Amino acid sequence: MIQIHSEPRRNLAHEIASQMRRDIISGVFKPGEALAEPALAGRFGVSRAPVREAMIELERAGLVQFKTTGRTRVRMLEEKDVVEIVEARIALESMGARLAAARWTDEDTRWIERSIAAQEKAASGVKFSGLDIAMHEYIMKRGGNERLSTLWQFVRWQFEMALTHIHHLQGKMAPNLRRFSVEGHRKVLTALAARRPETAAKVIAQHIKDSIEWYAPETPKRLPSSSIKLSK
Amino acid sequence: MIQIHSEPRRNLAHEIASQMRRDIISGVFKPGEALAEPALAGRFGVSRAPVREAMIELERAGLVQFKTTGRTRVRMLEEKDVVEIVEARIALESMGARLAAARWTDEDTRWIERSIAAQEKAASGVKFSGLDIAMHEYIMKRGGNERLSTLWQFVRWQFEMALTHIHHLQGKMAPNLRRFSVEGHRKVLTALAARRPETAAKVIAQHIKDSIEWYAPETPKRLPSSSIKLSK
DNA sequence: TTTTTGCAAAGTGTCGACAGTATTGCCCGT
DNA sequence: ACGGGCAATACTGTCGACACTTTGCAAAAA
């Protein structure tokens, strides 16, 4: 998969933003934790300027929050945030799958099949999650709408952060989740390979919604129940 | 409608970003035009630091682009960009309307009715566009998903920029567009007032898709035709 | 002991500077 | 007249500094 996207400028700020993003997602920095510029500048061995720019980037991506006083902290997550993130994923990925279905090729099918095979053999839950997200990313990119993919990236990072920090998302039913999730992926692939945009949109929406309920069965349901019914 | 959103930090950078956003949308700066930091710093009577930060914000919003060398220019728009923007709007607003329908109140209905009345009396095309966008914004906010609204803002600005710069979007059929558009808004309101999430989602998607074709009948259609059929 | 006041420490917002690099335009060779 | 190369120009990326504001803590008052 070739990335033609507008190359980000290659500077310290971008480097730091990427590293900080990884660290926030993986939990090195915890939600609510203060991110002071001088401290981070020291950590990275640079001055405050690039750190400051990186913070702006992360704020735009929703991983950190600015207080009105200017202080920066890692964004905090509650149940409601998980709901919002999932709703946003459904909105974006439905359209992504719809567009992808219309342009789907056999090579795409093979890519997804390989991914699913790897998912089944994934040794750890973390490894599985990585493959899972990568597959969703592939479909989004295949939709061919660069803006949609960009917006999706923001949500994706927030989703990954939520997986790390909303602890009951890590809970007991990992094995079942994985089996269930792979099954969902197969359904998505079927719709895409059949080049049925509407079906693909509905199936992937249902898959995302179901997944999160496997992760967190008690997540308050805000989506009107009719919204993702697989009617017909 | 009260905005609880995380307050942006109130500094020069943010001020400049807002002003620049307005200027880019309204065409003071034209697509492709170079935006050099020293020149902008002079224009605003500040140093380069806040200008630089503002540029990062605008890049995130998709209004400007960084070249790999670091130079900044106003993002350029082609036909394909209009398609992308509209697809993104449909993705986000469908979900927004779906969520809004489930929480819709009579007061919301009255707000929209007033908006529609104003739209009918709008003196100019520009005035009408403003009311149009404001109504869509209201619905997005009423969806109650802060992330969805934030993502939508990005697309909204790009859409407004496209309206300004894709010249044939300004074309001949403004009066018909307006009449047609108001009709679409009435259908959306009906679905929302009836609190039918699925109907609202489909109607607003259809409305957006139709609108852009009134603006630009020759816009290449990439959305699979089945995607927004109002079946049933 | 609890609350208030005041002060020191720490952090942000903005600036000007400087080295390195891309761009522009001029001059020269053809 | 025209294209290529080179010098002058302009801009970016990063830094350190400084003023102002917020925060945290400790001492003083209730």
Side-chain angles (χ1 to χ4, degrees):
Chain A
M1 169 137 304
I2 295 123
Q3 256 297 37
I4 321 245
H5 274 202
S6 52
E7 288 289 328
R9 31 181 174 186
R10 193 166 48 271
N11 56 20
L12 279 182
H14 188 71
E15 201 64 33
I16 290 167
S18 301
Q19 183 61 48
M20 286 297 297
R21 185 166 56 236
R22 281 191 290 275
D23 287 345
I24 289 171
I25 287 175
S26 67
V28 173
F29 297 100
K30 299 195 174 18
E33 186 171 346
L35 298 176
E37 289 167 12
L40 293 177
R43 175 187 158 95
F44 289 105
V46 300
S47 77
R48 276 177 53 218
V51 170
R52 221 178 137 70
E53 295 180 8
M55 289 302 112
I56 294 173
E57 218 174 306
L58 294 178
E59 195 268 348
R60 263 350 212 179
L63 295 184
V64 308
Q65 238 169 353
F66 293 146
K67 299 176 62 179
T68 49
T69 70
R71 304 292 164 102
T72 308
R73 54 177 58 217
V74 179
R75 181 154 184 181
M76 295 194 274
L77 291 170
E78 306 164 28
E79 280 299 330
K80 114 180 136 41
D81 295 295
V82 178
V83 175
E84 286 199 6
I85 290 166
V86 169
E87 285 169 355
R89 277 194 63 187
I90 290 173
L92 296 169
E93 295 195 41
S94 293
M95 181 58 84
R98 186 169 10 241
L99 297 171
R103 316 166 63 226
W104 202 252
T105 67
D106 291 347
E107 194 187 337
D108 294 325
T109 297
R110 286 193 291 279
W111 196 100
I112 300 291
E113 278 169 349
R114 280 197 300 276
S115 175
I116 289 178
Q119 287 164 35
E120 286 174 320
K121 284 190 293 214
S124 69
V126 173
K127 180 85 181 163
F128 173 80
S129 282
L131 289 164
D132 180 19
I133 287 282
M135 185 189 125
H136 284 264
E137 181 178 28
Y138 183 93
I139 294 170
M140 286 306 291
K141 293 254 176 72
R142 275 305 282 140
N145 184 322
E146 196 184 313
R147 285 167 174 80
L148 218 52
S149 296
T150 301
L151 296 181
W152 183 83
Q153 286 293 343
F154 294 163
V155 181
R156 168 244 187 101
W157 292 323
Q158 294 188 39
F159 180 78
E160 292 183 298
M161 182 179 167
L163 279 191
T164 301
H165 290 293
I166 304 285
H167 278 96
H168 61 74
L169 296 190
Q170 294 297 334
K172 52 231 161 185
M173 50 183 58
N176 281 340
L177 162 68
R178 199 189 302 192
R179 189 149 44 77
F180 175 86
S181 202
V182 167
E183 199 180 308
H185 289 170
R186 285 225 178 75
K187 283 188 198 153
V188 171
L189 175 58
T190 301
L192 288 169
R195 296 185 181 79
R196 301 196 183 193
E198 276 322 286
T199 309
K202 282 183 182 161
V203 169
I204 204 164
Q206 186 66 46
H207 163 63
I208 295 167
K209 184 159 173 279
D210 288 344
S211 304
I212 201 61
E213 290 187 1
W214 275 97
Y215 276 118
E218 70 282 52
T219 292
K221 295 175 182 56
R222 243 222 2 240
L223 273 176
S225 60
S226 68
S227 73
I228 307 190
K229 69 162 178 275
L230 278 168
S231 58
K232 133 159 181 299
Chain B
M1 171 137 296
I2 295 123
Q3 255 299 37
I4 321 244
H5 274 203
S6 51
E7 288 288 328
R9 32 180 174 187
R10 193 164 49 274
N11 56 19
L12 280 182
H14 187 73
E15 201 63 33
I16 291 168
S18 300
Q19 183 61 48
M20 287 296 297
R21 184 166 58 236
R22 281 191 291 273
D23 287 345
I24 289 172
I25 287 174
S26 68
V28 173
F29 297 101
K30 299 196 174 19
E33 185 171 346
L35 297 176
E37 289 166 12
L40 293 176
R43 175 188 157 96
F44 289 106
V46 300
S47 77
R48 276 177 53 218
V51 170
R52 224 179 134 70
E53 295 180 7
M55 289 303 112
I56 294 173
E57 219 175 305
L58 294 178
E59 195 268 349
R60 261 356 212 178
L63 296 183
V64 308
Q65 238 169 354
F66 293 146
K67 300 176 62 180
T68 49
T69 70
R71 303 294 164 102
T72 307
R73 54 178 57 218
V74 179
R75 182 156 185 181
M76 294 195 275
L77 291 170
E78 306 164 28
E79 281 299 331
K80 114 179 136 40
D81 295 294
V82 178
V83 175
E84 286 199 7
I85 290 166
V86 169
E87 286 169 355
R89 277 194 63 188
I90 290 173
L92 296 169
E93 295 195 41
S94 293
M95 182 58 85
R98 187 173 3 244
L99 297 172
R103 315 166 64 227
W104 202 252
T105 67
D106 291 347
E107 194 187 337
D108 294 325
T109 296
R110 286 193 292 277
W111 196 100
I112 300 291
E113 278 169 348
R114 281 197 299 276
S115 175
I116 289 177
Q119 288 164 33
E120 286 174 319
K121 284 189 293 214
S124 68
V126 173
K127 179 85 181 165
F128 173 80
S129 283
L131 290 164
D132 180 19
I133 287 282
M135 186 188 125
H136 284 264
E137 181 178 27
Y138 183 92
I139 294 170
M140 285 306 290
K141 293 253 177 73
R142 274 306 282 140
N145 184 322
E146 195 184 312
R147 284 167 176 80
L148 218 53
S149 295
T150 301
L151 296 180
W152 182 83
Q153 286 293 343
F154 293 164
V155 181
R156 169 243 186 102
W157 292 323
Q158 294 189 38
F159 180 79
E160 292 183 297
M161 181 178 167
L163 279 191
T164 302
H165 290 293
I166 305 285
H167 278 96
H168 61 76
L169 296 190
Q170 294 297 333
K172 53 234 162 186
M173 51 183 57
N176 281 341
L177 162 69
R178 199 190 304 192
R179 190 151 42 78
F180 174 86
S181 203
V182 167
E183 199 180 309
H185 289 171
R186 285 226 178 74
K187 283 188 198 151
V188 171
L189 175 57
T190 302
L192 289 169
R195 298 186 180 78
R196 302 197 182 196
E198 277 322 287
T199 309
K202 282 183 182 161
V203 169
I204 205 165
Q206 185 66 47
H207 162 63
I208 294 167
K209 184 159 173 279
D210 288 345
S211 305
I212 201 61
E213 290 186 1
W214 275 98
Y215 275 119
E218 69 282 51
T219 293
K221 295 176 183 55
R222 248 236 340 257
L223 273 176
S225 61
S226 69
S227 73
I228 309 192
K229 68 162 178 276
L230 279 168
S231 60
K232 135 162 180 299

